[in-house]
Amino acid sequence: MLADVEVEEFERQWEAMMDECLVREVEWVKDLYTKKMAWATAYIRGCFYAGLRTTSRCESLHAKMGRFVERRYGILDFVTNFQRCVEFLRDNEEELDFRSLYGSPVLQTQFPELEKSGAVNYTREIFLRFREALKSSVRVTIVECKKLEDRTVYVTQKYRRPQFRWTVAHHFGTDSFFCSCMRMESFGLPCVHILAVLVQLDIGYLPKSLVLQRWSKTAKVEIEGPSIMNEPGEANEVYRSRMGAFLQHCKRLARVACMRESDFKSCLDRIVEETYVLDMKNGVGTAAQGSAAGGQDGVRDPVAVRTKGTGRAQEPFGCRGIKRRKCSNCGVVGHRRTRCPSGPCSQPVCTQDLAEGALGRDDSQSHGTKT
């Protein structure tokens, strides 16, 4: 109950709670009241804390660390697994950045123009919170409007809660909005009261004053490369920082260079040429030459490699000749061993020898029968 009130209302409700619960003389309640500047929303409203007010952020990090580090690990195992955890978190961040840059959420509210404007400007996680506030803005009504010279002041009220009223000031010159709830100053997102005023004014986009740079999709694009390069650190960390900053600019270049065919070809040729020069400069000229040739001449045929066997598989089918066998006796092509002119089968055989051989076989067979 004490979260969404101002200072005067907080003091009034605190006194009523003391009398109702009879805890006015309790020591820990007195001590809690003396520390109200550190926990009461009515007093810390307007101070930017990015939504972090408890130890939930630290506990969430500890839970992720628990998946990689155990208490039985030594110093070497701890450092190794800690590095794995850091790489895991960085990979998740890269995935979320990819979804924010290339994904388009489905519109769900009654105000598609404002919702689409939030989807274009905010990252995915921040957009989900913005959409919830946009859905709740329908329960806010404008009960009073005061027009001044440089601004217009709107008095808003929640549905059936007349005791909760907030004022929204719209400055014409800077096109900026300020609400007495100070959610924009505390968290960096427009509150339901400002969104209700935008709906009332029939504005279909989010003004630049309501889009905090740290919650936008281009937050990392605005990071200056030289400021990261000058920071001290190990060579590996400096390299990762340089690569992260460079990739953000490459993503931005890719989005605009691929819109037209002429821009795509010219940028691709220049990138291939610059890559070739840098590769040669850093001692990897062979790889650069191959990549440059592939980028300029297109995709080439693969290098032919001799396969196992006779090697006839590399010849086209129509060019293959008829395989001719050689004689194993004389080595001449055109006949086999059984038909070789100089072979044993080609010698003339006497008829008398054939007859005597036949009679010898008959005698042996007859003697075997008698036996």
Side-chain angles (χ1 to χ4, degrees):
M1 293 177 59
L2 302 179
D4 195 21
V5 295
E6 295 183 354
V7 175
E8 296 79 7
E9 184 67 19
F10 172 82
E11 295 292 343
R12 187 184 66 81
Q13 293 191 20
W14 182 268
E15 292 295 329
M17 185 181 64
M18 294 295 102
D19 297 335
E20 181 180 356
C21 300
L22 302 176
V23 293
R24 188 177 296 275
E25 301 300 328
V26 179
E27 292 297 330
W28 70 268
V29 176
K30 293 181 180 180
D31 183 65
L32 182 64
Y33 181 75
T34 57
K35 300 177 181 179
K36 60 184 178 181
M37 301 295 296
W39 61 268
T41 306
Y43 289 95
I44 65 176
R45 182 181 290 114
C47 300
F48 184 79
Y49 49 84
L52 303 177
R53 296 180 54 194
T54 63
T55 60
S56 59
R57 183 73 174 179
C58 184
E59 293 173 356
S60 175
L61 183 59
H62 290 170
K64 292 182 175 62
M65 284 287 298
R67 299 172 55 184
F68 296 89
V69 179
E70 297 182 6
R71 57 186 301 178
R72 60 181 178 85
Y73 285 167
I75 184 65
L76 180 59
D77 295 335
F78 171 78
V79 173
T80 303
N81 288 275
F82 177 79
Q83 185 64 30
R84 290 178 54 200
C85 180
V86 173
E87 294 176 357
F88 172 76
L89 295 178
R90 288 174 177 172
D91 291 341
N92 286 346
E93 184 177 357
E94 289 292 334
E95 181 180 357
L96 293 176
D97 291 342
F98 178 82
R99 292 182 179 180
S100 297
L101 292 174
Y102 301 101
S104 299
V106 180
L107 305 181
Q108 299 180 0
T109 65
Q110 302 177 1
F111 316 108
E113 292 81 7
L114 278 177
E115 186 178 1
K116 184 177 181 180
S117 178
V120 171
N121 290 280
Y122 293 127
T123 60
R124 180 63 59 88
E125 183 177 356
I126 298 299
F127 167 73
L128 296 179
R129 301 187 182 186
F130 166 78
R131 184 165 61 184
E132 293 300 324
L134 188 60
K135 291 180 180 179
S136 302
S137 64
V138 297
R139 295 180 294 179
V140 178
T141 58
I142 299 177
V143 296
E144 189 177 351
C145 178
K146 299 179 181 179
K147 294 185 178 182
L148 303 178
E149 295 182 359
D150 59 339
R151 66 185 184 275
T152 302
V153 179
Y154 302 89
V155 180
T156 62
Q157 170 188 319
K158 286 188 176 181
Y159 177 70
R160 299 186 62 84
R161 289 190 177 182
Q163 69 275 16
F164 297 108
R165 290 193 175 187
W166 309 96
T167 59
V168 178
H170 177 210
H171 294 259
F172 307 123
T174 59
D175 195 19
S176 55
F177 295 81
F178 299 93
C179 183
S180 57
C181 72
M182 295 186 179
R183 187 173 185 266
M184 185 65 193
E185 291 76 9
S186 301
F187 186 72
L189 279 177
C191 59
V192 294
H193 318 107
I194 294 180
L195 295 178
V197 173
L198 293 178
V199 173
Q200 179 67 23
L201 296 177
D202 198 20
I203 297 178
Y205 63 93
L206 284 175
K208 294 183 178 180
S209 60
L210 299 180
V211 180
L212 199 63
Q213 181 62 28
R214 68 183 303 155
W215 302 142
S216 65
K217 294 182 178 181
T218 59
K220 291 185 177 180
V221 177
E222 301 299 330
I223 297 178
E224 297 293 336
S227 62
I228 297 179
M229 311 311 167
N230 297 331
E231 295 181 359
E234 298 181 358
N236 189 24
E237 297 299 329
V238 174
Y239 177 78
R240 293 179 65 93
S241 300
R242 290 174 179 174
M243 181 174 291
F246 193 80
L247 286 176
Q248 296 300 325
H249 290 282
C250 289
K251 293 178 182 178
R252 186 177 180 181
L253 174 64
R255 287 196 297 268
V256 296
C258 297
M259 292 181 178
R260 298 180 181 179
E261 184 69 20
S262 58
D263 296 339
F264 169 74
K265 291 182 178 180
S266 61
C267 290
L268 183 60
D269 292 339
R270 283 183 290 175
I271 290 174
V272 170
E273 182 179 358
E274 290 293 333
T275 305
Y276 173 74
V277 174
L278 292 176
D279 283 343
M280 294 293 294
K281 182 180 180 181
N282 290 278
V284 285
T286 304
Q289 186 176 3
S291 62
Q296 295 176 359
D297 300 336
V299 180
R300 294 184 175 182
D301 294 334
V303 179
V305 179
R306 182 176 177 84
T307 59
K308 294 182 180 179
T310 59
R312 295 176 56 85
Q314 302 294 334
E315 300 177 1
F317 182 78
C319 298
R320 296 180 183 179
I322 301 175
K323 184 177 180 180
R324 310 196 54 153
R325 297 183 179 182
K326 295 182 179 180
C327 176
S328 60
N329 186 29
C330 63
V332 179
V333 180
H335 62 271
R336 300 180 183 180
R337 180 179 61 86
T338 57
R339 297 183 180 182
C340 181
S342 59
C345 297
S346 61
Q347 299 295 332
V349 181
C350 182
T351 308
Q352 183 178 358
D353 295 338
L354 292 176
E356 292 179 354
L359 291 174
R361 286 196 299 271
D362 295 339
D363 295 341
S364 61
Q365 291 178 0
S366 60
H367 289 301
T369 306
K370 294 178 179 180
T371 302

